[in-house]
Amino acid sequence: MAGSDAVWSAQGTTPDAIEAALRELLVQRHAENESYVPARVLNMITFVDREWTGEIANRLRGVGRYHASRLVVLAYEPRRDRLDARVMSASEGEPAPGEVSLLRETVVVELGDRHLDDLLTIADPLVVTDLSTLLWSPHGHHEIITELLPLAQSVLLDSVDEPEAREALERASALSEEVYVVDLAWLRSTPWRERVAAMFDPAPMRSELRTIVSVTVRHHQESTVAALLLLGWLASRLGWRASPLLSDRTGLEGRAHASRQDVRLRLEAAPELLVRGLAGVAIETASGRTLQLDRGPGGLRARARDPRGAEREWTIPGASRGETGVLGEGIRQALLRDPTYRPALKAARAMLA
Amino acid sequence: VAVAAHRPAETPEAENPLTAGLERLPVAPTTLVIFGATGDLARRKLLPGLYNLAHDGALPQRFHLIGVSRKERAHEDYRAECEEAIRRFSRRKPDEAVLRALLENVKYVPGTFDEPSVYENLRKLLDGFEQQAGEPLNRAFYLSTAPNFFPVIVERLGSCELARHEGAEVRVIIEKPFGTSLEEARQLNRRVLAIFDESQVFRIDHYLGKETVQNMMAFRFANGMFEPLWNRNYIDSVQITAAEDLGIGSRADYYDHAGALRDLIQNHMLQLLCHVAMEPPVNFTAEEVRNEKVKVLQAVPHPAAQQVREIAVRAQYAAGHAGGEDVPGYLQEEGVPAGSTTETYVALRLQVDNWRWAGVPFYLRTGKRLARKVTEIAVTLKPVPHLAFSQDGSLGVEPNQLVLTLQPNEGVSLRLGAKIPGTRMIIRTVNMEFLYGTAFLSQSPEAYERLITDAMRGDATLFTRNDEVEAQWLICDPILKTWEQMPGPLPTYKAGSQGPAEGDAILLEGDRWRAI
């Protein structure tokens, strides 16, 4: 069922006029068909360089039902003097009799350097009051996030975007002191965390968690932070004290101190992996048991060797979410709270100290 | 005290620290065996549900599926059937690699459910999977067959020593209907519980897997504003409706034996009544929640034969119009025996005789071929004691009504009185609406996906306990028995209508049915 859009646009406009247009469009759509109802879940403010607006719009279009209820795109063009705006109210489909169709609103505001000092007063009237607001600045512009923080309950970032892992972790850590951080690098490790947790969930295996002696994480070349966060998660959940990792020819290596033994930690880049995220995790316990998970077709390929040396291999089904899926999950997570991210982040920072 | 002092302290199983913060909790390695593996339910719901769990990475890390059915076929042929069913009925387009990975672990055992060889072959496959895994795997037996096979399968599982397994859990999941009468339900419970412990038995009522039904508990117990009003002092009546716009379709064989009371009231609608009327449980463990629900069912008086006419109405749909088309009446539907007295509509008035609800009527209504499809619970509050501005014209003022809609538009609406803009104080009713779809990003999982996962995890909160089933039958059985003694034909209602006029007969003075 095809949806329909209603559009308003103006040049040289003001935030008040844009906000009035949003209200007017809503009245118009409801008059058109009373089955149209506005989604009221989440505001999302995105600050982007104007020339990348299309690319960001494409990425956000792919998130499907995780689209924010009201998306405010602040499209930045340094020398622009005038505030131009476009407002769209899009329905997800023609409502069937007796059913409702959700309306999602997108506001694109084109602005320049002269507007940056007053950015808060431009964005504030455009968000739906009482809804949680998520900030995202995919092209850096950290100062803008700081400027808009009073409006937000959460910030979306992707720590693997930062060229330096250390800076990425510092930035995420500083932000998480002030607001809830949704880090796409962390979300890329979710299926791995779920599966490692499941591997050690059967009662006989739980005791072996305390005897882990080695963890190796293989990752996309630019996803060191995702791998560090996975190690940080294990360290924080299992009470390890990690020492800084040192780089060698093929990766980073170091040790963590568990209550009974030291744990060898190793990160290795996986040049064959073409998408961001993790390529594999291998864990060894003191008994000689090894568990290995690797990306494979249709899920994760699991390999296990028990203390007697018997080896087994199988596939744990699961579809790849792709980058769009990860972004959608990031938006959804803005409404949840994961208490394990910050401790994992802290432990990961210790590994790069 | 002395005995307790000498008893060795139980060491609780250490928590898994890695599960904190995860939305999806681990499910122990499991082999799921579906009896009735080629049936409609397996094809439409179970197999697509399993695929979607696989797609989301939500199946146990080791998962095997064995289909058991009468038809002779090879493993590959059954895999091909599974694939076809998944492609046809899955809520999302299958990912080829995931589908392949899932199907790799599918096997098939042909045979009738009373043949010992079926269970021997089953055991060989189960043992083979465990050998492959190097560890015992949990076993879940899903009984998706005609109800007359439930005791046969359960007893065979017992006699073939498949009801227990060293080092792993064995569970049995039983589809509805759980008996067609109190006596049958009791007998079935006795036969099942002679083989399995109650903690191993998961009786499915798929309504309980629906997000909106679970939301009712959140609505009642996570919001302070409703609970103070939630009693006989403020509530005038409760109306629970499950209306369908469709007829019986091709299900005449099943439906004509069941009827609306067995099909919906005995299970789903009485469960909804429990959710409305139950006391807040101490916690949300399976036992606490089910204890509270049973107390509600036990507080509903079992109707005596002479009361049935006053509190229960049944009817059948006659030819009419639905969705702009002419549609046949029940007796003209294909496969329905001539002169059938099976009810396609039921309306009941029940009481919950406890401190909280004494005197509040609970109306339950369900029917096929009604004006539209809707499932809702309407809670009508008592009128205000005095209307100060009545002389200014407020004839439209009605008591507040809170409506929880389960389908199709899940949400909550509150009917309020409000002043009509103008110079005079004229009141009319307005609705304050909340729709779940507008307020959450996530899509609700299919009820069966949730229930299969819960059963594999051993969480029985959303399943019906033996005493619940029997308490439900204790309410419905006297009505059915009385109806059996009453001659036909039944009152009729026009297809596509609001139901029979006779439905009004059970309403207390001042009450009326909500428009469907």
Side-chain angles (χ1 to χ4, degrees):
Chain A
M1 227 173 1
S4 65
D5 292 356
V7 182
W8 170 94
S9 65
Q11 295 179 330
T13 187
T14 65
D16 277 355
I18 304 170
E19 198 266 334
L22 275 161
R23 275 186 283 116
E24 181 52 35
L25 272 187
L26 189 56
V27 172
Q28 220 179 77
R29 306 274 353 232
H30 196 68
E32 193 182 311
N33 186 335
E34 63 181 23
S35 301
Y36 285 138
V37 293
R40 288 292 177 256
V41 189
L42 179 74
N43 297 302
M44 183 171 178
I45 302 177
T46 305
F47 189 89
V48 295
D49 293 328
R50 187 174 174 273
E51 65 266 34
W52 293 103
T53 313
E55 187 248 341
I56 294 300
N58 277 340
R59 284 178 69 184
L60 287 171
R61 208 168 288 133
V63 303
R65 65 175 183 272
Y66 297 137
H67 202 286
S69 320
R70 182 173 289 178
L71 172 66
V72 179
V73 180
L74 302 174
Y76 168 64
E77 189 180 23
R79 268 172 277 170
R80 165 176 285 275
D81 286 331
R82 203 177 60 193
L83 208 62
D84 293 348
R86 202 165 62 255
V87 176
M88 280 149 289
S89 165
S91 67
E92 58 182 13
E94 284 304 313
E99 301 209 347
V100 295
S101 178
L102 285 186
L103 295 176
R104 293 196 173 88
E105 298 150 315
T106 302
V107 183
V108 180
V109 182
E110 297 185 348
L111 44 76
D113 278 331
R114 65 175 287 255
H115 302 109
L116 294 187
D117 287 344
D118 299 318
L119 201 55
L120 196 59
T121 61
I122 292 173
D124 195 348
L126 304 184
V127 294
V128 184
T129 313
D130 291 336
L131 288 191
S132 186
T133 299
L134 171 69
L135 288 183
W136 185 37
S137 176
H139 305 128
H141 300 293
H142 298 329
E143 71 292 352
I144 298 296
I145 290 291
T146 310
E147 171 77 18
L148 293 174
L149 266 189
L151 279 183
Q153 284 69 47
S154 47
V155 169
L156 182 69
L157 54 82
D158 191 349
S159 291
V160 304
D161 278 343
E162 297 281 340
E164 290 296 326
R166 192 190 314 267
E167 278 172 28
L169 295 178
E170 293 301 330
R171 164 116 188 105
S173 175
L175 268 174
S176 67
E177 294 292 325
E178 301 192 49
V179 71
Y180 182 66
V181 170
V182 179
D183 188 345
L184 299 184
W186 172 248
L187 299 184
R188 287 191 188 91
S189 73
T190 306
W192 303 85
R193 284 183 280 123
E194 284 176 349
R195 287 310 176 183
V196 171
M199 290 274 198
F200 285 97
D201 199 55
M205 291 291 291
R206 285 189 199 177
S207 56
E208 293 217 30
L209 274 174
R210 303 286 165 198
T211 70
I212 290 175
V213 292
S214 157
V215 182
T216 301
V217 183
R218 296 176 64 248
H219 58 88
H220 179 260
Q221 283 174 323
E222 291 172 6
S223 297
T224 311
V225 176
L228 277 166
L229 286 170
L230 183 69
L231 283 184
W233 169 69
L234 280 170
S236 60
R237 298 311 309 157
L238 298 174
W240 301 343
R241 275 179 300 109
S243 305
L245 307 182
L246 300 171
S247 68
D248 58 26
R249 276 185 305 120
T250 52
L252 290 168
E253 185 159 326
R255 306 198 82 75
H257 309 289
S259 58
R260 294 182 206 157
Q261 78 289 342
D262 273 4
V263 185
R264 176 178 169 267
L265 305 178
R266 182 159 184 80
L267 300 187
E268 286 173 7
E272 76 281 4
L273 184 63
L274 301 175
V275 291
R276 287 171 159 193
L278 306 180
V281 181
I283 297 175
E284 189 174 353
T285 68
S287 66
R289 185 187 299 278
T290 62
L291 298 167
Q292 192 175 331
L293 295 169
D294 291 294
R295 267 178 197 260
L300 296 181
R301 193 74 192 145
R303 288 185 189 84
R305 195 183 68 217
D306 69 20
R308 287 163 300 178
E311 292 197 11
R312 291 183 172 83
E313 205 175 319
W314 72 99
T315 298
I316 306 171
S320 166
R321 293 171 297 173
E323 280 299 292
T324 310
V326 174
L327 178 59
E329 181 61 14
I331 296 171
R332 190 179 78 88
Q333 288 285 333
L335 295 164
L336 306 174
R337 294 294 178 262
D338 181 348
T340 59
Y341 172 67
R342 282 184 71 186
L345 182 63
K346 188 175 170 197
R349 283 174 67 207
M351 292 176 203
L352 284 187
Chain B
V1 172
V3 172
H6 286 95
R7 189 181 294 153
E10 278 183 29
T11 45
E13 199 173 277
E15 290 271 313
N16 177 356
L18 300 185
T19 57
L22 294 178
E23 274 190 77
R24 262 198 297 265
L25 293 173
V27 185
T30 301
T31 301
L32 178 69
V33 181
I34 301 179
F35 288 90
T38 55
D40 216 35
L41 180 72
R43 285 170 48 74
R44 284 174 183 272
K45 295 288 180 188
L46 305 184
L47 294 168
L50 288 169
Y51 169 76
N52 281 299
L53 291 173
H55 187 105
D56 291 335
L59 282 179
Q61 52 161 331
R62 273 189 181 279
F63 177 77
H64 300 274
L65 173 67
I66 303 174
V68 183
S69 194
R70 251 182 326 188
K71 296 172 192 164
E72 195 64 44
R73 54 167 68 70
H75 297 305
E76 301 75 56
D77 297 333
Y78 182 60
R79 275 185 213 120
E81 273 186 44
C82 291
E83 183 178 341
E84 189 271 331
I86 290 166
R87 287 190 194 284
R88 187 154 167 218
F89 296 113
S90 168
R91 65 184 162 90
R92 52 157 81 99
K93 188 172 181 288
D95 174 300
E96 295 302 322
V98 175
L99 183 55
R100 222 171 18 252
L102 175 68
L103 294 174
E104 266 173 22
N105 294 313
V106 174
K107 299 271 185 189
Y108 183 76
V109 176
T112 54
F113 302 132
D114 56 349
E115 270 178 67
S117 63
V118 166
Y119 299 84
E120 271 320 303
N121 291 336
L122 193 53
R123 176 200 299 286
K124 279 182 202 153
L125 284 177
L126 289 165
D127 291 347
F129 289 146
E130 297 192 355
Q131 230 162 10
Q132 204 180 315
E135 58 180 329
L137 305 176
N138 284 357
R139 295 168 179 184
F141 298 106
Y142 198 122
L143 276 46
S144 168
T145 64
N148 52 319
F149 292 118
F150 296 165
V152 177
I153 296 169
V154 163
E155 282 163 6
R156 281 284 178 220
L157 289 171
S159 63
C160 295
E161 295 179 349
L162 287 166
R164 304 276 184 286
H165 189 43
E166 183 72 30
E169 302 289 340
V170 180
R171 298 179 177 116
V172 61
I173 304 160
I174 303 180
E175 262 297 333
K176 77 159 198 169
F178 202 84
T180 60
S181 65
L182 175 64
E183 189 40 46
E184 260 189 42
R186 279 183 169 157
Q187 208 174 25
L188 183 54
N189 265 335
R190 267 197 301 273
R191 291 174 78 175
V192 170
L193 296 177
I195 307 294
F196 290 96
D197 294 333
E198 177 60 33
S199 62
Q200 296 177 279
V201 183
F202 293 74
R203 297 172 192 82
I204 284 220
D205 181 335
H206 75 269
Y207 251 52
L208 298 184
K210 287 180 185 280
E211 280 291 313
T212 38
V213 176
Q214 295 164 53
N215 256 323
M216 282 174 56
M217 285 207 264
F219 178 80
R220 280 194 58 200
F221 303 132
N223 295 293
M225 66 186 290
F226 299 112
E227 200 51 28
L229 307 176
W230 214 254
N231 56 58
R232 67 192 156 83
N233 296 327
Y234 295 94
I235 290 179
D236 193 61
S237 68
V238 176
Q239 224 177 83
I240 305 176
T241 300
E244 290 184 50
D245 53 347
L246 299 177
I248 56 158
S250 57
R251 296 169 69 221
D253 193 35
Y254 160 75
Y255 198 87
D256 198 65
H257 286 97
L261 193 94
R262 287 188 182 95
D263 190 43
L264 265 123
I265 302 259
Q266 183 274 333
N267 35 59
H268 307 325
M269 295 190 72
L270 285 177
Q271 284 292 329
L272 294 184
L273 182 148
C274 289
H275 279 76
V276 175
M278 70 193 270
E279 294 298 318
V282 175
N283 55 47
F284 278 89
T285 57
E287 288 317 297
E288 292 298 337
V289 170
R290 298 193 297 181
N291 286 345
E292 295 305 334
K293 287 197 293 173
V294 168
K295 284 183 204 167
V296 173
L297 294 167
Q298 288 169 342
V300 176
H302 314 149
Q306 64 275 19
Q307 288 176 308
V308 168
R309 273 181 200 279
E310 293 163 29
I311 64 148
V313 167
R314 59 177 174 159
Q316 253 176 14
Y317 61 84
H321 308 280
E325 288 179 9
D326 292 345
V327 291
Y330 179 70
L331 294 177
Q332 290 85 52
E333 296 276 15
E334 201 182 322
V336 173
S340 166
T341 55
T342 297
E343 77 286 357
T344 63
Y345 173 98
V346 175
L348 295 183
R349 187 184 77 236
L350 300 177
Q351 295 287 137
V352 179
D353 281 350
N354 61 18
W355 191 278
R356 186 189 284 261
W357 294 111
V360 178
F362 281 74
Y363 297 109
L364 276 59
R365 171 178 56 160
T366 183
K368 294 212 168 278
R369 278 276 186 239
L370 290 169
R372 71 186 175 99
K373 180 183 172 74
V374 64
T375 305
E376 63 170 32
I377 297 160
V379 178
T380 306
L381 275 74
K382 292 195 165 161
V384 291
H386 172 63
L387 213 50
F389 26 73
S390 57
Q391 69 277 19
D392 270 336
S394 45
L395 289 176
V397 173
E398 297 206 25
N400 298 128
Q401 197 170 54
L402 183 73
V403 181
L404 297 108
T405 308
L406 276 69
Q407 58 184 5
N409 295 320
E410 300 99 321
V412 181
S413 100
L414 181 60
R415 187 172 72 191
L416 303 164
K419 178 183 172 296
I420 298 173
T423 53
R424 295 184 62 198
M425 180 59 90
I426 305 175
I427 313 290
R428 78 163 171 86
T429 57
V430 292
N431 279 348
M432 191 160 82
E433 305 251 9
F434 161 71
L435 292 164
Y436 281 105
T438 65
F440 293 96
L441 291 172
S442 309
Q443 198 181 33
S444 299
E446 276 280 311
Y448 275 99
E449 290 169 32
R450 169 73 196 264
L451 293 172
I452 292 169
T453 311
D454 280 6
M456 288 195 292
R457 285 184 52 233
D459 181 348
T461 311
L462 302 180
F463 296 84
T464 321
R465 208 168 54 189
N466 57 343
D467 50 352
E468 267 179 279
V469 172
E470 291 187 18
Q472 288 171 181
W473 274 117
L474 277 165
I475 298 164
C476 294
D477 216 44
I479 301 171
L480 286 166
K481 287 210 168 99
T482 308
W483 283 349
E484 277 167 21
Q485 307 304 317
M486 290 159 66
L490 303 190
T492 57
Y493 57 100
K494 214 170 151 188
S497 71
Q498 294 283 322
E502 287 83 350
D504 292 352
I506 62 164
L507 296 171
L508 295 183
E509 195 182 336
D511 290 342
R512 63 172 190 268
W513 291 113
R514 272 173 58 80
I516 289 170

